[in-house]
Amino acid sequence: MPSPSPPPPTITFPRSPVPSIPARPVQTAAALMIGDEILNGKTQDTNSHHFALRCFELGIELKRIEVIPDDEAEIVEAARRLTADFDFVITSGGIGPTHDDITYPSLARAFNQDLAMNDEVLSRMAQKSMYRKEWLEQQTDEQRTARERMALFPSQAEVLFVTDDLWVPVVRLEGKLCVLPGVPSLFRRLLDNLMESYIPLPAERPFRHMVFTTLPESSIAPFLTELQRRVKGEGVRIGSYPSFQKGVTVSLIGNNEARVRELGEEVCKEIHGTVVVKDA
Amino acid sequence: MPSPSPPPPTITFPRSPVPSIPARPVQTAAALMIGDEILNGKTQDTNSHHFALRCFELGIELKRIEVIPDDEAEIVEAARRLTADFDFVITSGGIGPTHDDITYPSLARAFNQDLAMNDEVLSRMAQKSMYRKEWLEQQTDEQRTARERMALFPSQAEVLFVTDDLWVPVVRLEGKLCVLPGVPSLFRRLLDNLMESYIPLPAERPFRHMVFTTLPESSIAPFLTELQRRVKGEGVRIGSYPSFQKGVTVSLIGNNEARVRELGEEVCKEIHGTVVVKDA
């Protein structure tokens, strides 16, 4: 009988330094989800919703989410277009060791770069694998080559180590396109650390206020239209979201919390609504 | 005290006839999800996953999902581009009575059409509302106008009544772009009926087989690469999807179920795997 594996040791690494040069705050963002498994229904994409929530909390306007297949031409086209159009772009998926993981080579092509092996990643990967050393020594050359593909990045990329306990870095291209893994637990850890420390954030953050009513949407429509017209100049956005045969949630979003709450009171009175924290 | 409302009566309508002219089967599809509420994190989009599952089951290749804001210019651009590129396109969201519901007018502009009121929809809407007649009679002109916006479609659209108990139709433009509501229960009912009867489907449907292994992804990578090379000509697609610190799910997809099962046995043997029905 094989002896049980020892628990993996705790290994930590230094994080990448946060750039001290002030950069223009990120205003707009886009997400490029790369994966056949989402398009063929095997996997429900939850990463883009996590990203949407983070963007909202941090005052970044997420303008677009695209889901595309593991296809070089499509990755090249979408990565170039989104990077040209928005301040901050993430990709999710396609960075593992197998044949269907083509995100890094496709992005290298998108931005006319070669691929280069990152020694620091190889070293961290090796340290993290020490506890299964015997097992790894049995890997063939081909299997080792497959592992090392995970350290083969576009040659001019920044390699950001945003956590101290994972060997996976965030690879950043053109100063704005950040490559993240598709596995949700890893995606979230890396994204949250990246956005907290490595992205220049806007000074202001929006406040969302929601009011629920059982009145039909058409009955509240004229009031909401007029209200939106009145508060547009203040940057307040009004949304109206029906739940089938239940009622309507009205959302008010703006940077001035006191003003949004004040408008919320007016909305409550006018549409016989109640303030809700979560969607009906 | 007001008397309790009577239960709504059961009203059914005739469905639109299914066209008998044979059309070329739909091979590729795209989904355009329209809604600020998805991009600002208020709502997690589940409609695109439902669409992805239906496409897979019916043998249609979903090639792209895009989420865009309630913004006319963005709807126009995306609707034109996706309709040019794919056989079957759906939109979800933005067809209610309020100011932020701009899908129909934006699509009319995208395809250079006017808007025209659909009398059959108005009539079905009125019949469905009979049980709250008194209440509706209190609506102002503005409120009635808001309701009637839900029957104001691009003038050259087909108006397909795909269910017998909802007044909401599926509006189809250019013979391929189908407009669906964002509310998930309505989206699903209408989409499922639409795809079952009104879309020319491919003759063949794919079969998905999944194998789970606890081996690291890099160890199985060379075998999978070689296998994908070997079976590509048969139209079999191999995918590899890791779960963090658990293992890897390998997916085999092809139209020939017997062949896919046979390859699945080979995969099981080679990677010390087990067949799984649901993802690990």
Side-chain angles (χ1 to χ4, degrees), chain A residues 40 42 64-67 135 139 143 147 208 216-219 279, chain B residues 40 42 64-67 97 135 139 143 147 208 216-219 279:
Chain A
N40 67 31
K42 177 187 165 292
R64 188 174 280 252
I65 300 164
E66 296 189 13
V67 185
W135 177 87
Q139 284 206 320
Q143 288 168 330
R147 285 184 71 220
R208 177 174 9 226
E217 213 181 5
S218 59
S219 292
D279 207 2
Chain B
N40 67 30
K42 178 189 165 291
R64 188 173 278 252
I65 300 164
E66 297 189 12
V67 185
W135 177 87
Q139 285 205 320
Q143 289 168 329
R147 285 184 70 220
R208 174 169 19 221
E217 213 181 5
S218 59
S219 293
D279 206 3

PDB file of all heavy atoms in Angstrom, chain A residues 40 42 64-67 135 139 143 147 208 216-219 279, chain B residues 40 42 64-67 97 135 139 143 147 208 216-219 279:
ATOM      1  N   ASN A  40     -20.705  25.736 -25.554  1.00  0.00           N
ATOM      2  CA  ASN A  40     -21.448  24.485 -25.779  1.00  0.00           C
ATOM      3  C   ASN A  40     -22.278  24.074 -24.557  1.00  0.00           C
ATOM      4  O   ASN A  40     -22.831  22.975 -24.513  1.00  0.00           O
ATOM      5  CB  ASN A  40     -20.525  23.353 -26.266  1.00  0.00           C
ATOM      6  CG  ASN A  40     -19.516  22.901 -25.220  1.00  0.00           C
ATOM      7  OD1 ASN A  40     -19.770  22.947 -24.016  1.00  0.00           O
ATOM      8  ND2 ASN A  40     -18.360  22.447 -25.672  1.00  0.00           N
ATOM      9  N   LYS A  42     -21.521  23.318 -21.503  1.00  0.00           N
ATOM     10  CA  LYS A  42     -20.972  22.471 -20.445  1.00  0.00           C
ATOM     11  C   LYS A  42     -20.836  23.262 -19.151  1.00  0.00           C
ATOM     12  O   LYS A  42     -21.111  22.759 -18.064  1.00  0.00           O
ATOM     13  CB  LYS A  42     -19.610  21.906 -20.862  1.00  0.00           C
ATOM     14  CG  LYS A  42     -18.963  21.067 -19.765  1.00  0.00           C
ATOM     15  CD  LYS A  42     -17.541  20.652 -20.107  1.00  0.00           C
ATOM     16  CE  LYS A  42     -16.819  20.142 -18.872  1.00  0.00           C
ATOM     17  NZ  LYS A  42     -16.552  21.182 -17.870  1.00  0.00           N
ATOM     18  N   ARG A  64     -18.693  45.876 -21.807  1.00  0.00           N
ATOM     19  CA  ARG A  64     -18.932  44.770 -22.736  1.00  0.00           C
ATOM     20  C   ARG A  64     -18.364  43.468 -22.172  1.00  0.00           C
ATOM     21  O   ARG A  64     -17.290  43.460 -21.574  1.00  0.00           O
ATOM     22  CB  ARG A  64     -18.252  45.086 -24.070  1.00  0.00           C
ATOM     23  CG  ARG A  64     -18.559  44.120 -25.185  1.00  0.00           C
ATOM     24  CD  ARG A  64     -17.959  44.619 -26.470  1.00  0.00           C
ATOM     25  NE  ARG A  64     -18.808  45.630 -27.052  1.00  0.00           N
ATOM     26  CZ  ARG A  64     -19.543  45.415 -28.147  1.00  0.00           C
ATOM     27  NH1 ARG A  64     -19.525  44.251 -28.761  1.00  0.00           N
ATOM     28  NH2 ARG A  64     -20.291  46.375 -28.651  1.00  0.00           N
ATOM     29  N   ILE A  65     -19.112  42.384 -22.384  1.00  0.00           N
ATOM     30  CA  ILE A  65     -18.625  41.032 -22.111  1.00  0.00           C
ATOM     31  C   ILE A  65     -18.765  40.255 -23.413  1.00  0.00           C
ATOM     32  O   ILE A  65     -19.822  40.306 -24.041  1.00  0.00           O
ATOM     33  CB  ILE A  65     -19.466  40.344 -21.010  1.00  0.00           C
ATOM     34  CG1 ILE A  65     -19.422  41.132 -19.687  1.00  0.00           C
ATOM     35  CG2 ILE A  65     -18.999  38.898 -20.798  1.00  0.00           C
ATOM     36  CD1 ILE A  65     -20.517  40.730 -18.694  1.00  0.00           C
ATOM     37  N   GLU A  66     -17.711  39.561 -23.817  1.00  0.00           N
ATOM     38  CA  GLU A  66     -17.824  38.700 -24.995  1.00  0.00           C
ATOM     39  C   GLU A  66     -17.344  37.300 -24.637  1.00  0.00           C
ATOM     40  O   GLU A  66     -16.336  37.151 -23.952  1.00  0.00           O
ATOM     41  CB  GLU A  66     -16.988  39.258 -26.164  1.00  0.00           C
ATOM     42  CG  GLU A  66     -17.499  40.605 -26.641  1.00  0.00           C
ATOM     43  CD  GLU A  66     -16.847  41.091 -27.935  1.00  0.00           C
ATOM     44  OE1 GLU A  66     -16.167  40.307 -28.629  1.00  0.00           O
ATOM     45  OE2 GLU A  66     -17.047  42.279 -28.262  1.00  0.00           O
ATOM     46  N   VAL A  67     -18.067  36.308 -25.120  1.00  0.00           N
ATOM     47  CA  VAL A  67     -17.653  34.916 -24.967  1.00  0.00           C
ATOM     48  C   VAL A  67     -17.326  34.380 -26.356  1.00  0.00           C
ATOM     49  O   VAL A  67     -18.162  34.459 -27.267  1.00  0.00           O
ATOM     50  CB  VAL A  67     -18.767  34.046 -24.342  1.00  0.00           C
ATOM     51  CG1 VAL A  67     -18.250  32.630 -24.084  1.00  0.00           C
ATOM     52  CG2 VAL A  67     -19.298  34.663 -23.059  1.00  0.00           C
ATOM     53  N   TRP A 135       6.831  12.153  -7.771  1.00  0.00           N
ATOM     54  CA  TRP A 135       5.849  11.950  -8.806  1.00  0.00           C
ATOM     55  C   TRP A 135       6.202  12.752 -10.069  1.00  0.00           C
ATOM     56  O   TRP A 135       6.126  12.258 -11.193  1.00  0.00           O
ATOM     57  CB  TRP A 135       4.497  12.358  -8.239  1.00  0.00           C
ATOM     58  CG  TRP A 135       3.431  12.261  -9.224  1.00  0.00           C
ATOM     59  CD1 TRP A 135       2.686  11.179  -9.531  1.00  0.00           C
ATOM     60  CD2 TRP A 135       3.052  13.303 -10.104  1.00  0.00           C
ATOM     61  NE1 TRP A 135       1.855  11.464 -10.541  1.00  0.00           N
ATOM     62  CE2 TRP A 135       2.055  12.769 -10.914  1.00  0.00           C
ATOM     63  CE3 TRP A 135       3.458  14.629 -10.297  1.00  0.00           C
ATOM     64  CZ2 TRP A 135       1.437  13.521 -11.893  1.00  0.00           C
ATOM     65  CZ3 TRP A 135       2.846  15.371 -11.274  1.00  0.00           C
ATOM     66  CH2 TRP A 135       1.848  14.810 -12.059  1.00  0.00           C
ATOM     67  N   GLN A 139       7.624  12.302 -14.755  1.00  0.00           N
ATOM     68  CA  GLN A 139       7.029  12.879 -15.974  1.00  0.00           C
ATOM     69  C   GLN A 139       7.988  12.725 -17.160  1.00  0.00           C
ATOM     70  O   GLN A 139       9.209  12.844 -17.011  1.00  0.00           O
ATOM     71  CB  GLN A 139       6.694  14.352 -15.764  1.00  0.00           C
ATOM     72  CG  GLN A 139       5.434  14.573 -14.915  1.00  0.00           C
ATOM     73  CD  GLN A 139       4.759  15.898 -15.199  1.00  0.00           C
ATOM     74  OE1 GLN A 139       5.415  16.922 -15.393  1.00  0.00           O
ATOM     75  NE2 GLN A 139       3.442  15.902 -15.242  1.00  0.00           N
ATOM     76  N   GLN A 143       5.542  15.601 -21.102  1.00  0.00           N
ATOM     77  CA  GLN A 143       4.695  16.087 -20.013  1.00  0.00           C
ATOM     78  C   GLN A 143       5.305  17.326 -19.363  1.00  0.00           C
ATOM     79  O   GLN A 143       4.597  18.280 -19.028  1.00  0.00           O
ATOM     80  CB  GLN A 143       4.479  14.962 -18.983  1.00  0.00           C
ATOM     81  CG  GLN A 143       3.542  13.870 -19.520  1.00  0.00           C
ATOM     82  CD  GLN A 143       3.537  12.609 -18.671  1.00  0.00           C
ATOM     83  OE1 GLN A 143       4.544  12.264 -18.037  1.00  0.00           O
ATOM     84  NE2 GLN A 143       2.411  11.907 -18.651  1.00  0.00           N
ATOM     85  N   ARG A 147       3.752  21.188 -19.069  1.00  0.00           N
ATOM     86  CA  ARG A 147       3.705  22.043 -17.863  1.00  0.00           C
ATOM     87  C   ARG A 147       4.340  23.394 -18.138  1.00  0.00           C
ATOM     88  O   ARG A 147       3.825  24.437 -17.723  1.00  0.00           O
ATOM     89  CB  ARG A 147       4.454  21.394 -16.695  1.00  0.00           C
ATOM     90  CG  ARG A 147       3.708  20.262 -16.055  1.00  0.00           C
ATOM     91  CD  ARG A 147       4.472  19.754 -14.844  1.00  0.00           C
ATOM     92  NE  ARG A 147       4.443  20.698 -13.753  1.00  0.00           N
ATOM     93  CZ  ARG A 147       5.468  20.965 -12.960  1.00  0.00           C
ATOM     94  NH1 ARG A 147       6.634  20.393 -13.162  1.00  0.00           N
ATOM     95  NH2 ARG A 147       5.344  21.811 -11.973  1.00  0.00           N
ATOM     96  N   ARG A 208     -25.842  52.238  -5.375  1.00  0.00           N
ATOM     97  CA  ARG A 208     -27.042  51.688  -6.016  1.00  0.00           C
ATOM     98  C   ARG A 208     -28.152  51.591  -4.985  1.00  0.00           C
ATOM     99  O   ARG A 208     -27.942  51.091  -3.886  1.00  0.00           O
ATOM    100  CB  ARG A 208     -26.731  50.306  -6.585  1.00  0.00           C
ATOM    101  CG  ARG A 208     -27.949  49.656  -7.197  1.00  0.00           C
ATOM    102  CD  ARG A 208     -27.740  48.323  -7.927  1.00  0.00           C
ATOM    103  NE  ARG A 208     -26.470  47.699  -7.801  1.00  0.00           N
ATOM    104  CZ  ARG A 208     -25.793  47.193  -8.821  1.00  0.00           C
ATOM    105  NH1 ARG A 208     -26.288  47.256 -10.038  1.00  0.00           N
ATOM    106  NH2 ARG A 208     -24.637  46.599  -8.628  1.00  0.00           N
ATOM    107  N   PRO A 216     -47.867  47.643 -12.251  1.00  0.00           N
ATOM    108  CA  PRO A 216     -47.345  47.205 -13.551  1.00  0.00           C
ATOM    109  C   PRO A 216     -46.359  48.228 -14.116  1.00  0.00           C
ATOM    110  O   PRO A 216     -46.472  49.425 -13.845  1.00  0.00           O
ATOM    111  CB  PRO A 216     -48.582  47.095 -14.442  1.00  0.00           C
ATOM    112  CG  PRO A 216     -49.719  47.617 -13.683  1.00  0.00           C
ATOM    113  CD  PRO A 216     -49.313  47.935 -12.287  1.00  0.00           C
ATOM    114  N   GLU A 217     -45.416  47.722 -14.883  1.00  0.00           N
ATOM    115  CA  GLU A 217     -44.336  48.578 -15.376  1.00  0.00           C
ATOM    116  C   GLU A 217     -44.874  49.748 -16.207  1.00  0.00           C
ATOM    117  O   GLU A 217     -44.343  50.850 -16.146  1.00  0.00           O
ATOM    118  CB  GLU A 217     -43.357  47.728 -16.202  1.00  0.00           C
ATOM    119  CG  GLU A 217     -41.919  48.203 -16.076  1.00  0.00           C
ATOM    120  CD  GLU A 217     -40.941  47.384 -16.900  1.00  0.00           C
ATOM    121  OE1 GLU A 217     -41.373  46.494 -17.661  1.00  0.00           O
ATOM    122  OE2 GLU A 217     -39.734  47.655 -16.792  1.00  0.00           O
ATOM    123  N   SER A 218     -45.931  49.486 -16.992  1.00  0.00           N
ATOM    124  CA  SER A 218     -46.426  50.571 -17.851  1.00  0.00           C
ATOM    125  C   SER A 218     -46.978  51.725 -17.014  1.00  0.00           C
ATOM    126  O   SER A 218     -46.935  52.873 -17.443  1.00  0.00           O
ATOM    127  CB  SER A 218     -47.495  50.052 -18.823  1.00  0.00           C
ATOM    128  OG  SER A 218     -48.586  49.485 -18.125  1.00  0.00           O
ATOM    129  N   SER A 219     -47.483  51.421 -15.805  1.00  0.00           N
ATOM    130  CA  SER A 219     -48.053  52.485 -14.969  1.00  0.00           C
ATOM    131  C   SER A 219     -46.986  53.393 -14.380  1.00  0.00           C
ATOM    132  O   SER A 219     -47.239  54.548 -14.087  1.00  0.00           O
ATOM    133  CB  SER A 219     -48.885  51.884 -13.832  1.00  0.00           C
ATOM    134  OG  SER A 219     -50.027  51.264 -14.364  1.00  0.00           O
ATOM    135  N   ASP A 279     -32.493  41.989  -5.144  1.00  0.00           N
ATOM    136  CA  ASP A 279     -33.469  41.945  -6.222  1.00  0.00           C
ATOM    137  C   ASP A 279     -34.646  41.035  -5.852  1.00  0.00           C
ATOM    138  O   ASP A 279     -34.464  40.024  -5.191  1.00  0.00           O
ATOM    139  CB  ASP A 279     -32.769  41.363  -7.451  1.00  0.00           C
ATOM    140  CG  ASP A 279     -33.430  41.865  -8.711  1.00  0.00           C
ATOM    141  OD1 ASP A 279     -34.368  42.672  -8.591  1.00  0.00           O
ATOM    142  OD2 ASP A 279     -32.993  41.455  -9.780  1.00  0.00           O
TER     143      ASP A 279
ATOM    144  N   ASN B  40     -23.551  46.057 -14.849  1.00  0.00           N
ATOM    145  CA  ASN B  40     -23.236  46.690 -13.560  1.00  0.00           C
ATOM    146  C   ASN B  40     -23.373  45.706 -12.397  1.00  0.00           C
ATOM    147  O   ASN B  40     -23.296  46.099 -11.225  1.00  0.00           O
ATOM    148  CB  ASN B  40     -24.049  47.981 -13.347  1.00  0.00           C
ATOM    149  CG  ASN B  40     -25.540  47.737 -13.196  1.00  0.00           C
ATOM    150  OD1 ASN B  40     -25.980  46.701 -12.706  1.00  0.00           O
ATOM    151  ND2 ASN B  40     -26.341  48.714 -13.603  1.00  0.00           N
ATOM    152  N   LYS B  42     -25.837  44.004 -11.208  1.00  0.00           N
ATOM    153  CA  LYS B  42     -27.105  43.823 -10.494  1.00  0.00           C
ATOM    154  C   LYS B  42     -27.670  42.429 -10.748  1.00  0.00           C
ATOM    155  O   LYS B  42     -28.192  41.779  -9.855  1.00  0.00           O
ATOM    156  CB  LYS B  42     -28.122  44.886 -10.933  1.00  0.00           C
ATOM    157  CG  LYS B  42     -29.476  44.710 -10.259  1.00  0.00           C
ATOM    158  CD  LYS B  42     -30.536  45.625 -10.840  1.00  0.00           C
ATOM    159  CE  LYS B  42     -31.926  45.182 -10.409  1.00  0.00           C
ATOM    160  NZ  LYS B  42     -32.353  43.903 -11.019  1.00  0.00           N
ATOM    161  N   ARG B  64     -20.818  32.734 -30.310  1.00  0.00           N
ATOM    162  CA  ARG B  64     -20.493  33.988 -29.631  1.00  0.00           C
ATOM    163  C   ARG B  64     -21.639  34.460 -28.742  1.00  0.00           C
ATOM    164  O   ARG B  64     -22.807  34.323 -29.109  1.00  0.00           O
ATOM    165  CB  ARG B  64     -20.207  35.067 -30.686  1.00  0.00           C
ATOM    166  CG  ARG B  64     -19.678  36.375 -30.144  1.00  0.00           C
ATOM    167  CD  ARG B  64     -19.284  37.266 -31.288  1.00  0.00           C
ATOM    168  NE  ARG B  64     -17.965  36.902 -31.762  1.00  0.00           N
ATOM    169  CZ  ARG B  64     -16.877  37.662 -31.559  1.00  0.00           C
ATOM    170  NH1 ARG B  64     -16.985  38.789 -30.884  1.00  0.00           N
ATOM    171  NH2 ARG B  64     -15.705  37.288 -32.036  1.00  0.00           N
ATOM    172  N   ILE B  65     -21.266  34.983 -27.583  1.00  0.00           N
ATOM    173  CA  ILE B  65     -22.222  35.660 -26.700  1.00  0.00           C
ATOM    174  C   ILE B  65     -21.662  37.050 -26.439  1.00  0.00           C
ATOM    175  O   ILE B  65     -20.479  37.180 -26.135  1.00  0.00           O
ATOM    176  CB  ILE B  65     -22.377  34.919 -25.351  1.00  0.00           C
ATOM    177  CG1 ILE B  65     -22.877  33.489 -25.539  1.00  0.00           C
ATOM    178  CG2 ILE B  65     -23.309  35.692 -24.408  1.00  0.00           C
ATOM    179  CD1 ILE B  65     -22.690  32.590 -24.309  1.00  0.00           C
ATOM    180  N   GLU B  66     -22.480  38.074 -26.608  1.00  0.00           N
ATOM    181  CA  GLU B  66     -22.030  39.423 -26.266  1.00  0.00           C
ATOM    182  C   GLU B  66     -23.043  40.072 -25.330  1.00  0.00           C
ATOM    183  O   GLU B  66     -24.245  39.941 -25.538  1.00  0.00           O
ATOM    184  CB  GLU B  66     -21.866  40.286 -27.534  1.00  0.00           C
ATOM    185  CG  GLU B  66     -20.797  39.751 -28.471  1.00  0.00           C
ATOM    186  CD  GLU B  66     -20.451  40.696 -29.628  1.00  0.00           C
ATOM    187  OE1 GLU B  66     -20.868  41.874 -29.610  1.00  0.00           O
ATOM    188  OE2 GLU B  66     -19.760  40.232 -30.553  1.00  0.00           O
ATOM    189  N   VAL B  67     -22.526  40.764 -24.326  1.00  0.00           N
ATOM    190  CA  VAL B  67     -23.374  41.539 -23.423  1.00  0.00           C
ATOM    191  C   VAL B  67     -23.046  43.006 -23.641  1.00  0.00           C
ATOM    192  O   VAL B  67     -21.878  43.402 -23.554  1.00  0.00           O
ATOM    193  CB  VAL B  67     -23.114  41.184 -21.944  1.00  0.00           C
ATOM    194  CG1 VAL B  67     -24.095  41.926 -21.041  1.00  0.00           C
ATOM    195  CG2 VAL B  67     -23.179  39.681 -21.714  1.00  0.00           C
ATOM    196  N   PRO B  97     -41.922  48.387 -21.271  1.00  0.00           N
ATOM    197  CA  PRO B  97     -42.582  49.663 -21.583  1.00  0.00           C
ATOM    198  C   PRO B  97     -41.837  50.905 -21.111  1.00  0.00           C
ATOM    199  O   PRO B  97     -42.328  52.010 -21.333  1.00  0.00           O
ATOM    200  CB  PRO B  97     -43.906  49.534 -20.823  1.00  0.00           C
ATOM    201  CG  PRO B  97     -43.545  48.712 -19.621  1.00  0.00           C
ATOM    202  CD  PRO B  97     -42.447  47.770 -20.041  1.00  0.00           C
ATOM    203  N   TRP B 135     -58.975  48.391 -13.371  1.00  0.00           N
ATOM    204  CA  TRP B 135     -57.710  49.005 -13.014  1.00  0.00           C
ATOM    205  C   TRP B 135     -57.049  49.635 -14.244  1.00  0.00           C
ATOM    206  O   TRP B 135     -56.540  50.759 -14.175  1.00  0.00           O
ATOM    207  CB  TRP B 135     -56.833  47.901 -12.396  1.00  0.00           C
ATOM    208  CG  TRP B 135     -55.509  48.402 -12.074  1.00  0.00           C
ATOM    209  CD1 TRP B 135     -55.116  49.015 -10.925  1.00  0.00           C
ATOM    210  CD2 TRP B 135     -54.409  48.389 -12.950  1.00  0.00           C
ATOM    211  NE1 TRP B 135     -53.837  49.387 -11.029  1.00  0.00           N
ATOM    212  CE2 TRP B 135     -53.360  49.020 -12.261  1.00  0.00           C
ATOM    213  CE3 TRP B 135     -54.187  47.922 -14.244  1.00  0.00           C
ATOM    214  CZ2 TRP B 135     -52.114  49.176 -12.836  1.00  0.00           C
ATOM    215  CZ3 TRP B 135     -52.959  48.074 -14.807  1.00  0.00           C
ATOM    216  CH2 TRP B 135     -51.935  48.692 -14.115  1.00  0.00           C
ATOM    217  N   GLN B 139     -55.761  53.943 -16.215  1.00  0.00           N
ATOM    218  CA  GLN B 139     -54.459  54.398 -16.728  1.00  0.00           C
ATOM    219  C   GLN B 139     -54.620  55.695 -17.521  1.00  0.00           C
ATOM    220  O   GLN B 139     -55.610  55.897 -18.223  1.00  0.00           O
ATOM    221  CB  GLN B 139     -53.829  53.312 -17.622  1.00  0.00           C
ATOM    222  CG  GLN B 139     -53.250  52.146 -16.834  1.00  0.00           C
ATOM    223  CD  GLN B 139     -52.147  51.421 -17.589  1.00  0.00           C
ATOM    224  OE1 GLN B 139     -52.244  51.211 -18.793  1.00  0.00           O
ATOM    225  NE2 GLN B 139     -51.096  51.042 -16.870  1.00  0.00           N
ATOM    226  N   GLN B 143     -49.640  56.403 -19.728  1.00  0.00           N
ATOM    227  CA  GLN B 143     -49.430  55.025 -19.284  1.00  0.00           C
ATOM    228  C   GLN B 143     -49.864  54.034 -20.364  1.00  0.00           C
ATOM    229  O   GLN B 143     -49.205  53.029 -20.604  1.00  0.00           O
ATOM    230  CB  GLN B 143     -50.181  54.780 -17.964  1.00  0.00           C
ATOM    231  CG  GLN B 143     -49.518  55.507 -16.785  1.00  0.00           C
ATOM    232  CD  GLN B 143     -50.364  55.529 -15.533  1.00  0.00           C
ATOM    233  OE1 GLN B 143     -51.599  55.553 -15.598  1.00  0.00           O
ATOM    234  NE2 GLN B 143     -49.711  55.542 -14.376  1.00  0.00           N
ATOM    235  N   ARG B 147     -47.596  51.192 -22.418  1.00  0.00           N
ATOM    236  CA  ARG B 147     -47.935  49.778 -22.653  1.00  0.00           C
ATOM    237  C   ARG B 147     -47.849  49.442 -24.134  1.00  0.00           C
ATOM    238  O   ARG B 147     -47.341  48.393 -24.526  1.00  0.00           O
ATOM    239  CB  ARG B 147     -49.360  49.466 -22.175  1.00  0.00           C
ATOM    240  CG  ARG B 147     -49.496  49.368 -20.681  1.00  0.00           C
ATOM    241  CD  ARG B 147     -50.903  48.956 -20.301  1.00  0.00           C
ATOM    242  NE  ARG B 147     -51.180  47.577 -20.653  1.00  0.00           N
ATOM    243  CZ  ARG B 147     -52.320  47.135 -21.151  1.00  0.00           C
ATOM    244  NH1 ARG B 147     -53.310  47.982 -21.390  1.00  0.00           N
ATOM    245  NH2 ARG B 147     -52.486  45.867 -21.406  1.00  0.00           N
ATOM    246  N   ARG B 208     -22.078  14.286 -25.974  1.00  0.00           N
ATOM    247  CA  ARG B 208     -20.976  14.718 -25.103  1.00  0.00           C
ATOM    248  C   ARG B 208     -20.694  13.619 -24.084  1.00  0.00           C
ATOM    249  O   ARG B 208     -21.598  13.098 -23.453  1.00  0.00           O
ATOM    250  CB  ARG B 208     -21.358  16.011 -24.380  1.00  0.00           C
ATOM    251  CG  ARG B 208     -20.307  16.420 -23.365  1.00  0.00           C
ATOM    252  CD  ARG B 208     -20.452  17.828 -22.785  1.00  0.00           C
ATOM    253  NE  ARG B 208     -21.727  18.468 -22.908  1.00  0.00           N
ATOM    254  CZ  ARG B 208     -21.885  19.746 -23.207  1.00  0.00           C
ATOM    255  NH1 ARG B 208     -20.839  20.519 -23.428  1.00  0.00           N
ATOM    256  NH2 ARG B 208     -23.090  20.271 -23.287  1.00  0.00           N
ATOM    257  N   PRO B 216      -2.613  15.201 -12.812  1.00  0.00           N
ATOM    258  CA  PRO B 216      -2.466  16.614 -13.187  1.00  0.00           C
ATOM    259  C   PRO B 216      -2.608  16.796 -14.694  1.00  0.00           C
ATOM    260  O   PRO B 216      -2.296  15.901 -15.474  1.00  0.00           O
ATOM    261  CB  PRO B 216      -1.064  16.984 -12.721  1.00  0.00           C
ATOM    262  CG  PRO B 216      -0.412  15.748 -12.264  1.00  0.00           C
ATOM    263  CD  PRO B 216      -1.378  14.625 -12.255  1.00  0.00           C
ATOM    264  N   GLU B 217      -3.103  17.977 -15.059  1.00  0.00           N
ATOM    265  CA  GLU B 217      -3.404  18.234 -16.468  1.00  0.00           C
ATOM    266  C   GLU B 217      -2.166  18.062 -17.352  1.00  0.00           C
ATOM    267  O   GLU B 217      -2.274  17.574 -18.481  1.00  0.00           O
ATOM    268  CB  GLU B 217      -3.984  19.638 -16.610  1.00  0.00           C
ATOM    269  CG  GLU B 217      -5.014  19.737 -17.716  1.00  0.00           C
ATOM    270  CD  GLU B 217      -5.594  21.139 -17.884  1.00  0.00           C
ATOM    271  OE1 GLU B 217      -5.140  22.073 -17.202  1.00  0.00           O
ATOM    272  OE2 GLU B 217      -6.490  21.290 -18.726  1.00  0.00           O
ATOM    273  N   SER B 218      -1.003  18.473 -16.844  1.00  0.00           N
ATOM    274  CA  SER B 218       0.194  18.377 -17.696  1.00  0.00           C
ATOM    275  C   SER B 218       0.541  16.920 -18.023  1.00  0.00           C
ATOM    276  O   SER B 218       1.086  16.625 -19.085  1.00  0.00           O
ATOM    277  CB  SER B 218       1.387  19.071 -17.038  1.00  0.00           C
ATOM    278  OG  SER B 218       1.682  18.492 -15.789  1.00  0.00           O
ATOM    279  N   SER B 219       0.184  15.996 -17.117  1.00  0.00           N
ATOM    280  CA  SER B 219       0.510  14.583 -17.361  1.00  0.00           C
ATOM    281  C   SER B 219      -0.366  13.975 -18.456  1.00  0.00           C
ATOM    282  O   SER B 219       0.033  13.026 -19.125  1.00  0.00           O
ATOM    283  CB  SER B 219       0.357  13.773 -16.079  1.00  0.00           C
ATOM    284  OG  SER B 219       1.333  14.174 -15.141  1.00  0.00           O
ATOM    285  N   ASP B 279     -20.268  17.630 -14.343  1.00  0.00           N
ATOM    286  CA  ASP B 279     -18.925  18.171 -14.144  1.00  0.00           C
ATOM    287  C   ASP B 279     -18.492  18.021 -12.676  1.00  0.00           C
ATOM    288  O   ASP B 279     -19.301  18.132 -11.774  1.00  0.00           O
ATOM    289  CB  ASP B 279     -18.978  19.656 -14.503  1.00  0.00           C
ATOM    290  CG  ASP B 279     -17.631  20.165 -14.935  1.00  0.00           C
ATOM    291  OD1 ASP B 279     -16.696  19.359 -15.009  1.00  0.00           O
ATOM    292  OD2 ASP B 279     -17.540  21.360 -15.200  1.00  0.00           O
TER     293      ASP B 279
END
